[in-house]
Amino acid sequence: MCARADTRQSPSWPVTCRTRRGRAAKPADCGHSNDTRLGIISGVLLPPTQRVRLRAAPDRSKKAIARTLAAAMTKRHWHRAAVIKSTADASVLGGVVVVGDDALSVIAKTRAVATLGEALKAAVRCAALDRQRRALSWLGGHGFAVPRWIVHVSGVHEGRAVQTLFLEALSGPTLLGAMQREPARASAAREGVGRLIGGLLRAGRVHRDFKPSNLILQGEGVVMIDAPIRRVRPLGRGAALARMLRDLSLEPVGAGVAPPERWLEDVAAYALLTWWGRTPPAAAVEAVVRRVRSAVEAHGDARLRDEPVEAGELPRI
């Protein structure tokens, strides 16, 4: 199932433009504009248009519907979509797709199958988008708030083998955007963020890129829009907690944003409360905070390689 589009709200996926050397780039460097209203883009990897095959669907019992959705997604004018992220071998695009009577706000994550190793991984369904699809399914099945994926396809675009994972686009500011413009809302999210971290630890998982621009605020909840999760052994969960809190702290430092007062302390306390199932002693929270702050200082230069910019209204494609 897919959420209906609400064009009065702006799906807030962070828009970045990156050069091949990894530095933040101006629109001229990339060959396209980050202004989602400008229309046609160039030099961006697009979803497949030839030899399109359905790779996976959320409901295997409804393959006919899934094939119809796959055809609807791949036959759109993705060259007119909003560019959320673009590199030489990957892209994230956003647009509103009309299927029947429904207008769906959709994110298209596309990756090139560029090497023999990637082709072998794709053959055994272990490519990056396969892992992300399975992670989203696992998280959603275990009660975590994540975008629903619609269909996963493979095929060819302009002679290049590609895979695309289509997901629903979500409305709401990112946590980083709230820290910059709505500090009261960001402050109110500390419990949700902490409980999300604690829930992952209780489930034996670590999120490997737990930064504020990867979290969307929806009402009282916090939604992960990216899912690079990995299993973590029980003895490694303390390190996993420190890693996620470090990633949560680094991006605001690099963006020059001051987090709310006692932000780290409260998020750590809620994380430990959810993980342990009991109120953590103050000494335990202080120990975690010291460890995280030491890790942030040891990281050195925290300046952002890519400046996240929240997308505007997604165009109809």
Side-chain angles (χ1 to χ4, degrees):
M1 296 178 63
C2 307
R4 290 177 179 266
D6 184 353
T7 56
R8 294 170 296 177
Q9 296 179 329
S10 300
S12 299
W13 291 66
V15 177
T16 61
C17 190
R18 181 183 297 176
T19 65
R20 292 189 180 185
R21 293 184 179 181
R23 65 179 176 84
K26 298 178 181 179
D29 293 327
C30 300
H32 63 74
S33 169
N34 274 345
D35 189 334
T36 62
R37 296 168 295 181
L38 290 182
I40 295 178
I41 57 179
S42 61
V44 176
L45 191 67
L46 300 181
T49 53
Q50 298 174 313
R51 303 211 301 265
V52 178
R53 292 187 299 174
L54 178 66
R55 191 168 180 84
D59 190 341
R60 296 180 182 178
S61 66
K62 298 179 180 178
K63 282 191 175 181
I65 296 176
R67 290 193 182 98
T68 300
L69 278 171
M73 296 297 162
T74 55
K75 290 180 180 178
R76 300 298 161 169
H77 299 291
W78 284 102
H79 60 284
R80 296 186 179 275
V83 179
I84 296 170
K85 188 174 182 179
S86 177
T87 66
D89 295 316
S91 69
V92 182
L93 308 177
V96 177
V97 176
V98 178
V99 181
D101 295 330
D102 293 332
L104 312 176
S105 291
V106 177
I107 297 297
K109 292 190 172 185
T110 300
R111 294 183 69 95
V113 183
T115 67
L116 176 59
E118 291 171 351
L120 291 174
K121 289 181 179 179
V124 296
R125 297 186 180 272
C126 289
L129 290 180
D130 290 301
R131 295 195 300 271
Q132 183 165 157
R133 183 192 75 234
R134 285 194 292 268
L136 289 170
S137 295
W138 185 92
L139 287 165
H142 286 77
F144 292 95
V146 291
R148 288 176 302 214
W149 62 277
I150 302 169
V151 286
H152 185 185
V153 301
S154 61
V156 175
H157 177 74
E158 294 184 350
R160 302 183 72 185
V162 297
Q163 286 190 26
T164 300
L165 181 63
F166 295 100
L167 313 105
E168 65 171 337
L170 302 178
S171 298
T174 64
L175 177 57
L176 182 63
M179 286 180 172
Q180 293 170 322
R181 297 182 299 276
E182 302 177 77
R185 186 170 185 179
S187 181
R190 66 186 74 203
E191 180 177 354
V193 174
R195 290 191 178 278
L196 176 55
I197 293 173
L200 287 169
L201 293 173
R202 288 193 69 174
R205 299 295 189 276
V206 59
H207 192 292
R208 300 180 67 179
D209 197 18
F210 198 83
K211 58 187 180 183
S213 61
N214 276 341
L215 303 173
I216 281 184
L217 304 184
Q218 287 197 322
E220 300 297 322
V222 181
V223 183
M224 294 178 284
I225 59 174
D226 202 5
I229 60 170
R230 296 291 185 274
R231 293 178 184 271
V232 59
R233 296 178 183 274
L235 293 178
R237 295 183 190 183
L241 170 62
R243 173 180 179 145
M244 286 189 279
L245 289 173
R246 181 206 65 184
D247 292 348
L248 188 69
S249 303
L250 275 172
E251 191 175 49
V253 170
V257 179
E261 186 178 358
R262 289 192 57 81
W263 167 261
L264 181 57
E265 291 84 351
D266 290 346
V267 171
Y270 280 117
L272 289 172
L273 170 64
T274 306
W275 175 19
W276 292 349
R278 54 185 170 83
T279 303
V285 176
E286 291 170 3
V288 170
V289 170
R290 283 197 303 271
R291 182 175 181 179
V292 172
R293 285 179 174 156
S294 296
V296 171
E297 291 176 5
H299 186 274
D301 186 3
R303 286 178 297 180
L304 304 181
R305 289 185 303 172
D306 304 302
E307 186 71 26
V309 180
E310 294 188 4
E313 182 178 309
L314 294 180
R316 284 180 176 256
I317 57 173

